Amino acid sequence: MIAESLNMSVGSVFTIMTEDLKKKKLCARFVPHTLTTEQKEHRIASSEDLIAAADEDPNFLKTIVTGDESWCLEYDPETKRQSSEWTSPGKGRPMKVRASKSKTKTTLLVFFDSRGIIHHEFLQQGSTVTEFLYHFESENNYLNDGKNDLFDVNIFEGR
């Protein structure tokens, strides 16, 4: 687009942009949604509280337990390279049916602290993270299996 508007070759524009102007072409990062001003202010206040707590107690960051969830499809598709075959001269390319995405997926929950993973679990089909956390809170100290003496079950209060 720039090359056309300036009536220059693409190579010349690329050289000027990268070598002379030290520019890089970056793709935009997609985000799931934008935050409201109130949400941004809440995040700033929470971050400031965490920084203050870390300044007061050097071991504070070691007490934090966090978690994440991820969808896992229940299949391991063969890649194009993995499905390659040796063929004789004159023989056509082997045909391979493209693997369709698995209709069966499950949620993986992982909890970790400053030392690493302290618990992981695949949720049963049809279960939700909210349902898991409800059971987690009602079972009192679900994650504390003796490996993490710093875990405090009250981390989910106020959510």
Side-chain angles (χ1 to χ4, degrees):
M1 193 183 293
I2 295 174
E4 290 175 12
S5 64
L6 296 175
N7 199 22
M8 296 175 68
S9 72
V10 173
S12 296
V13 170
F14 182 81
T15 301
I16 291 168
M17 296 296 282
T18 57
E19 294 177 15
D20 298 338
L21 299 176
K22 308 288 188 226
K23 298 280 185 180
K24 288 193 256 184
K25 191 168 193 174
L26 298 176
C27 294
R29 182 170 49 113
F30 288 102
V31 293
H33 60 277
T34 56
L35 298 176
T36 65
T37 303
E38 182 180 326
Q39 291 169 324
K40 290 176 187 177
E41 289 170 355
H42 182 265
R43 287 188 179 195
I44 290 170
S46 298
S47 298
E48 289 170 345
D49 291 345
L50 288 171
I51 291 169
D55 287 343
E56 289 175 21
D57 180 7
N59 291 318
F60 172 74
L61 294 177
K62 293 179 183 176
T63 66
I64 295 176
V65 174
T66 189
D68 199 7
E69 62 187 88
S70 181
W71 283 105
C72 298
L73 298 175
E74 294 182 359
Y75 76 105
D76 190 13
E78 191 176 52
T79 65
K80 194 171 181 178
R81 181 158 306 254
Q82 288 171 327
S83 67
S84 63
E85 302 173 10
W86 290 104
T87 60
S88 302
K91 229 179 169 192
R93 181 184 299 240
M95 303 252 311
K96 183 80 173 175
V97 176
R98 182 176 297 213
S100 61
K101 285 191 174 181
S102 173
K103 292 180 181 171
T104 308
K105 59 184 179 179
T106 186
T107 303
L108 169 65
L109 290 177
V110 181
F111 293 92
F112 46 95
D113 63 8
S114 64
R115 294 174 289 196
I117 295 175
I118 58 173
H119 180 77
H120 71 281
E121 182 168 334
F122 288 97
L123 293 184
Q124 290 182 345
Q125 199 71 26
S127 295
T128 62
V129 174
T130 306
E131 178 184 351
F132 173 83
L133 292 177
Y134 171 78
H135 290 297
F136 168 81
E137 290 175 353
S138 66
E139 288 178 10
N140 190 16
N141 219 358
Y142 180 80
L143 292 179
N144 191 3
D145 55 5
K147 295 178 186 171
N148 185 3
D149 56 348
L150 298 174
F151 183 75
D152 177 3
V153 79
N154 294 325
I155 60 170
F156 292 109
E157 283 184 0
R159 50 171 183 96

